[in-house]
Amino acid sequence: MEAIKQTVAQNIGIGGAHTLVPEDQQFDLNQTPNLKGKVAVVTGGSEGIGYGCTHTLLAHGIEKLFILSVSQEVVDSSLKAIEEEMGPETAKKVTWLQCDLSDWKKTKETADKIASSTDRIDILINNAGRGIMTYQVTDYGVDRHMAMNHMAHVILTSHLLPILKKTASTGSTVRIVNMASNAHQSTPSDCKFESLEELNQDLGPNGQYGRSKLAAILYSRYLNRHLTSSHPNILANATHPGFVDTKMSKEDIHEPYPLGGYAMSVGMAPIKKNIMQGCVSTVFAATKTEKSGQYICPPAVPESGSSLAQDEQLGDNLMKLTRELVKEKTFEDSAAKGCPFTDY
């Protein structure tokens, strides 16, 4: 019975679902602390779960908010909604930076722009990514799911590390959140993260997506082992949002499954979470938790994840391959110019 309650609480959008877990694992957006004076960065923060996060951060007094996304039209709509609900002064706290995460050079340049625009970063939410879609490769010749959902966020985080560490050195708690999913369990059991050839296998839509979400958990635990161990004020966690009503589950799902996708986009609509329900675990990880290296499911439930998600050697393999591929594919714009490729 407890397992059923956990499953419902973590994944379904029915009223009161989040109260089905033990009291010490409950969290409500109204419990988000006062964020006055703090600065946040959110990728994909203009729509879906990302917008749920940015809306909540602004509602609780965040001083400055950087949103990274692709579409000017979408961010304009989001900023209009924020201005209408919270006023023009709140909307002015937002800086939008156009960034396609499949472009690693642009991602690095965007990180540099952020670092030159603020003297602190308290919250980094690596949320944006490619959903359950077909296998593609980027212009770098790397699986698009891994390139965007994982490697681009490593690039962004790594280039923001100096200011994250500076913020932590003042005594403030810095929180890094990587968006994962229970879909990580669909990763093939023989995953090794040992070569580009392995990454560029077509695993099918669920396998491609799931593996990139496994990477989010492994990356968070890698940061906990190597970054939090030496900078205890910097916390790194991964989160699962649940089954949420977003563009990914309404529109993008029809790219791999033109007809079958209706089971998710329409058939499951009555039980999906809305974006505010879907952002709860991520907001908890970004503003409230004092733990690091966890995989947090809604509302604030630490889970172990799959056996692959607990494999430290696999995490080390992942990060070694990430460094090697990014260095090789961006050499003229990175290593040749002295980039140290430090990921912690």
Side-chain angles (χ1 to χ4, degrees), residues 25-153:
Q25 296 177 351
Q26 294 181 21
F27 176 75
D28 184 272
L29 294 181
N30 292 328
Q31 296 174 284
T32 304
N34 188 318
L35 303 173
K36 183 179 180 180
K38 296 186 182 298
V39 177
V41 177
V42 184
T43 69
S46 56
E47 62 181 323
I49 298 165
Y51 179 71
C53 293
T54 58
H55 183 282
T56 305
L57 297 178
L58 288 166
H60 288 82
I62 200 82
E63 191 75 21
K64 185 181 291 187
L65 174 63
F66 295 92
I67 294 177
L68 281 61
S69 63
V70 175
S71 171
Q72 174 82 57
E73 181 180 356
V74 172
V75 80
D76 285 348
S77 176
S78 299
L79 287 176
K80 182 180 179 182
I82 289 169
E83 182 171 346
E84 290 176 351
E85 182 178 346
M86 303 185 199
E89 291 306 310
T90 298
K92 288 178 183 177
K93 295 180 178 182
V94 178
T95 298
W96 176 63
L97 297 166
Q98 187 172 37
C99 183
D100 179 352
L101 293 175
S102 69
D103 184 339
W104 292 343
K105 179 182 178 183
K106 177 70 171 179
T107 302
K108 185 266 183 187
E109 291 172 348
T110 302
D112 290 344
K113 286 181 181 178
I114 294 170
S116 66
S117 303
T118 181
D119 60 358
R120 66 182 299 126
I121 297 174
D122 303 86
I123 297 167
L124 171 58
I125 300 177
N126 292 322
N127 161 75
R130 182 174 175 80
I132 299 174
M133 302 178 77
T134 55
Y135 167 71
Q136 293 181 11
V137 295
T138 66
D139 291 343
Y140 296 109
V142 179
D143 166 59
R144 188 172 292 275
H145 281 88
M146 287 295 296
M148 294 178 64
N149 297 8
H150 168 65
M151 294 179 183
H153 282 126

Side-chain angles (χ1 to χ4, degrees), residues 251-273:
E251 299 176 21
D252 295 349
I253 191 64
H254 292 283
E255 186 262 355
Y257 304 115
L259 295 178
Y262 283 103
M264 178 181 286
S265 64
V266 178
M268 303 296 285
I271 63 170
K272 290 181 186 177
K273 296 183 176 187

Side-chain angles (χ1 to χ4, degrees), residues 155-170:
I155 293 169
L156 178 70
T157 304
S158 298
H159 283 89
L160 293 178
L161 273 178
I163 195 166
L164 293 169
K165 290 177 179 179
K166 177 185 175 183
T167 305
S169 72
T170 67

Side-chain angles (χ1 to χ4, degrees), residues 13 49 241 243-246 271-279:
I49 298 165
F243 190 31
V244 188
D245 190 27
T246 64
I271 63 170
K272 290 181 186 177
K273 296 183 176 187
N274 60 45
I275 60 172
M276 301 311 292
Q277 293 170 320
C279 75

